[in-house]
Amino acid sequence: MKIIKLLSLSWILLVAPKAISQEFKLGKVSIAELEQKVHPKDSSAAAAILYKKGISRMEFDQNEGFCIVTDVEARIKIYKKEGYEWANQSVWYYNQTNLKERVFFSDAVTYNLVNGKIEKTKLKSDGSFDEVLSKFRGLKKITMPNVKEGSVIEYHYSIRCPSDNIIRDWDFQTSIPVNYSEFKIAYPEYYVFKPRQKGYIFPKVSTTKNSKSLTINSKERGTGLVSRTEFYNDK
């Protein structure tokens, strides 16, 4: 039985006790977040990332072997018109003959406060499109609908990479305030990855080990006048 290592990095900007104790989960936008007029720590901020969480994990495919799947979800508050650009999100991906990644956006919603009630506007198919960056890379883009001053947007995306040795960079801080940021990496014990951090504020890092097994199915066809196919399960 192989051991799956889980490397967790998290960085928290202490904005207020209420922000930290809040449950970080898509669809749980609060009226308080929509009513907020300015960022508690930076009144000049045009937008802020209320939370962003990501996990890169290895999955086994019978045909491809190990691949890496990265899931990211985020919630962003728009304070001013200058922050509308944060309603446009994009994710680059490899698009080469021997390395084709796939990117999927989902659960993309814009929230507004209308007459004291939360109004939701979901992203439609015409708000998502692909752009060719080069012969090696593409760009998946979304433009969130019904964005106004005071809006909160949420989205989730997945990246499926057929390689087992590519882990995306993760930015814990950007040009706007980030209230909470977390990134996890899960991989089998016989892989070795070395974290490489840049900047002057380093996140808290923790490592845990969890047991997990994989079952591989295979078949073998015999030879001779009467051939028979044998099926095997390896754990």
Side-chain angles (χ1 to χ4, degrees):
M1 180 179 291
K2 296 300 181 182
I3 303 298
I4 299 295
K5 289 185 177 179
L6 184 64
L7 177 64
S8 174
L9 300 88
S10 59
W11 194 90
I12 302 174
L13 173 63
L14 296 178
V15 176
K18 183 177 180 181
I20 301 305
S21 62
Q22 162 186 0
E23 180 184 10
F24 297 117
K25 188 176 181 180
L26 291 181
K28 297 293 184 179
V29 173
S30 67
I31 291 180
E33 288 172 327
L34 290 166
E35 288 179 334
Q36 193 176 77
K37 301 299 183 183
V38 295
H39 190 271
K41 290 292 183 180
D42 184 359
S43 59
S44 66
I49 296 176
L50 302 184
Y51 89 87
K52 188 174 183 180
K53 297 193 298 184
I55 179 169
S56 286
R57 64 186 186 279
M58 281 198 181
E59 292 187 354
F60 185 79
D61 183 277
Q62 289 256 153
N63 300 316
E64 299 179 342
F66 279 111
C67 60
I68 293 182
V69 177
T70 301
D71 285 305
V72 177
E73 62 180 55
R75 179 181 299 161
I76 299 176
K77 170 72 177 184
I78 308 296
Y79 293 109
K80 305 175 182 178
K81 290 181 179 179
E82 292 79 8
Y84 285 3
E85 63 183 278
W86 286 90
N88 302 318
Q89 293 294 320
S90 60
V91 179
W92 67 267
Y93 57 90
Y94 288 111
N95 191 27
Q96 304 168 216
T97 302
N98 60 343
L99 182 58
K100 286 187 176 292
E101 293 184 310
R102 289 178 292 169
V103 178
F104 307 94
F105 272 94
S106 62
D107 299 320
V109 181
T110 300
Y111 295 85
N112 288 297
L113 195 62
V114 180
N115 298 324
K117 295 183 179 180
I118 298 178
E119 179 185 82
K120 299 192 298 184
T121 308
K122 295 183 178 180
L123 176 71
K124 296 182 179 179
S125 57
D126 59 359
S128 176
F129 49 96
D130 288 89
E131 179 182 325
V132 177
L133 295 179
S134 69
K135 61 180 180 180
F136 303 113
R137 291 191 181 191
L139 192 69
K140 189 76 171 183
K141 303 172 71 174
I142 61 170
T143 299
M144 297 299 295
N146 198 25
V147 174
K148 309 171 184 178
E149 291 182 68
S151 295
V152 170
I153 66 171
E154 287 187 335
Y155 59 88
H156 168 275
Y157 66 82
S158 294
I159 308 171
R160 186 172 184 86
C161 178
S163 173
D164 63 351
N165 60 10
I166 298 176
I167 294 179
R168 293 294 185 102
D169 290 345
W170 184 264
D171 294 324
F172 285 94
Q173 272 294 346
T174 67
S175 58
I176 59 175
V178 180
N179 292 6
Y180 182 89
S181 183
E182 174 186 289
F183 185 57
K184 295 181 179 180
I185 309 161
Y187 56 91
E189 62 179 351
Y190 45 85
Y191 281 82
V192 177
F193 290 97
K194 295 181 179 179
R196 185 172 57 192
Q197 302 180 48
K198 297 179 181 179
Y200 56 92
I201 298 178
F202 296 108
K204 175 185 176 182
V205 180
S206 60
T207 304
T208 59
K209 292 185 178 182
N210 299 311
S211 298
K212 185 176 181 180
S213 63
L214 294 172
T215 300
I216 301 173
N217 301 313
S218 58
K219 62 181 179 179
E220 183 177 315
R221 189 171 178 82
T223 59
L225 295 176
V226 180
S227 60
R228 187 173 61 179
T229 301
E230 299 285 347
F231 294 89
Y232 303 94
N233 292 322
D234 296 310
K235 192 172 184 179

